[in-house]
Amino acid sequence: MFRLRLSMVLLALAVTAGACAQNAPRLSGSAVIAELHDVRSKLEAREQAHPDKSLEATVQHLSQWQDALAKNLGNDAAQPVELMGDARRAQAMRAHAAVLRTQAYLGSCTHCLDGDAATMAQALALTVERLAEARDAPSAAPPVIEAVETPDRRAIFAIHGGEAERHLVLVGKNLADAQCADPKVIATDADDKPLALQPTLVSAQPTRIELVLPGGDGIAPGSYVLHVKAQRKAFLVGCVAQPEAVGVVQMASPPHFAVTYTLDARCSSGQGGASVRSGSLPVLTAFGATQVAQVEPDACATPNGFALSAQVTYADGSHQQIGPISQPADTTITAGLPGGLSLQWNPAVRQLVLRSAANACDGFY
């Protein structure tokens, strides 16, 4: 009896899942045009709030693509994408991929330094540009990369260089055919020049390709373009080459936080006035790291208080500063710096402690 009931429950779940799948809306040309309009408006609003030439170029590409797709589809815009003719289908699929990548950018470019946000915007701009440039009209639905992710499904647009290798996932459609050889993945720069260090293919499925990117300093900062060249099984003629799909991430310099400080010990009258100590902390070159410096600023036996100022310089050369922050002589001073840094002065042990938290910019790996 228990087995019978269990079988009935499983059957009901299967029927429900099948019904949900059947009721899922099919992507139409009209839906893609509406997506382009919506995401272009949101990206334009971000560009106005945070001016960036790469974002401006992407807004223009999305606007032009929306107009071109509406013109090409005409009265057939309501037709499902998979039922369209060759050129229209490819154009709509790539436009949808551009929408998904832009949506991911808008959702992941948060808590980022200005330099990191600009790097992500470059990756988005080149992605949309490459998708819009494709002009082929394959007889079958083309391979399309809709996302570049970490193994835990976090969308990324840039990678901080370093010694560790990175696992990368390309998500999309028609990326591989089980009846044919695995796709080839070639990494180039923005000018399509093959790079010395190439990714290693781990696995390939129609909707997912897993890669390992080499570690070390052999990949210079700049665009890292992944060209996926797949095959598909065709009737009577065997496996045939497909148009390439392209994914883009930016390679950025490894983390680099250089902090200089000024510590002012305020003495009571008759004890010599004030003592100022300035210096530099050891450079942090990783997230989640700590550096400690011993500082002896006293010019008097019993200072009334301390004032701390600091400036941090980042890998891209930009810098931010804080202070002076004042506290009584027996009170710890803790200051936050952009980029997830914290600087603490502990008067009891005469130490400055610099800490970097995990990378808070979601679009970075």
Side-chain angles (χ1 to χ4, degrees):
M1 178 64 70
F2 173 76
R3 291 183 178 178
L4 177 59
R5 289 179 178 176
L6 178 61
S7 298
M8 293 176 65
V9 170
L10 294 175
L11 178 60
L13 290 173
V15 171
T16 301
C20 292
Q22 291 175 2
N23 292 332
R26 301 170 78 179
L27 184 67
S28 66
S30 298
V32 176
I33 294 171
E35 288 178 338
L36 286 167
H37 174 76
D38 179 66
V39 79
R40 178 195 58 78
S41 298
K42 292 178 179 178
L43 191 65
E44 187 173 24
R46 177 177 178 82
E47 195 278 330
Q48 291 174 352
H50 306 279
D52 184 282
K53 291 184 178 180
S54 294
L55 291 185
E56 183 180 356
T58 303
V59 168
Q60 292 177 354
H61 268 121
L62 293 172
S63 179
Q64 293 167 359
W65 211 340
Q66 177 188 337
D67 294 341
L69 191 60
K71 179 179 179 180
N72 290 344
L73 297 183
N75 295 331
D76 297 328
Q79 187 179 32
V81 170
E82 63 266 29
L83 300 183
M84 293 179 179
D86 302 342
R88 288 177 169 182
R89 178 179 54 209
Q91 185 185 28
M93 288 181 64
R94 287 170 179 142
H96 181 59
V99 166
L100 294 177
R101 200 68 173 130
T102 306
Q103 290 173 339
Y105 167 83
L106 290 169
S108 60
C109 191
T110 57
H111 306 101
C112 300
L113 296 167
D114 290 345
D116 289 347
T119 297
M120 290 174 57
Q122 291 169 12
L124 176 65
L126 185 55
T127 298
V128 173
E129 177 184 324
R130 289 300 181 92
L131 286 167
E133 282 178 349
R135 293 287 186 264
D136 48 51
S139 58
V144 176
I145 295 172
E146 298 175 335
V148 182
E149 299 179 343
T150 58
D152 60 357
R153 298 187 176 182
R154 179 167 57 88
I156 61 167
F157 290 81
I159 300 173
H160 279 298
E163 292 301 319
E165 64 182 21
R166 308 295 176 92
H167 291 255
L168 207 62
V169 181
L170 306 179
V171 179
K173 293 183 175 65
N174 310 312
L175 300 178
D177 189 328
Q179 300 182 79
C180 300
D182 284 340
K184 294 181 179 180
V185 182
I186 300 173
T188 72
D189 60 16
D191 296 323
D192 293 333
K193 180 181 178 181
L195 300 176
L197 295 180
Q198 291 290 320
T200 302
L201 181 69
V202 176
S203 65
Q205 302 172 25
T207 60
R208 181 183 178 91
I209 291 178
E210 297 185 33
L211 304 169
V212 174
L213 272 60
D217 57 1
I219 303 178
S223 298
Y224 193 81
V225 185
L226 295 162
H227 305 257
V228 176
K229 300 183 178 182
Q231 295 180 321
R232 69 173 180 85
K233 189 66 177 291
F235 183 63
L236 295 179
V237 296
C239 292
V240 296
Q242 289 285 81
E244 73 172 21
V246 174
V248 178
V249 292
Q250 290 292 117
M251 298 302 299
S253 300
H256 182 97
F257 305 109
V259 174
T260 58
Y261 66 87
T262 299
L263 188 64
D264 181 2
R266 300 189 306 276
C267 301
S268 58
S269 60
Q271 291 190 343
S275 174
V276 178
R277 293 287 186 272
S278 298
S280 300
L281 287 161
V283 174
L284 284 179
T285 57
F287 294 103
T290 301
Q291 292 286 13
V292 180
Q294 202 73 29
V295 181
E296 297 293 343
D298 293 355
C300 52
T302 56
N304 289 334
F306 294 98
L308 177 65
S309 302
Q311 176 177 286
V312 56
T313 301
Y314 302 97
D316 63 358
S318 63
H319 58 268
Q320 297 281 347
Q321 63 184 50
I322 58 165
I325 301 172
S326 300
Q327 289 287 5
D330 58 352
T331 303
T332 297
I333 300 176
T334 301
L337 287 162
L341 297 178
S342 67
L343 181 63
Q344 185 180 78
W345 164 242
N346 187 336
V349 294
R350 298 296 196 264
Q351 281 186 345
L352 275 172
V353 181
L354 175 66
R355 296 184 178 92
S356 65
N359 191 3
C361 185
D362 290 339
F364 261 79
Y365 197 164

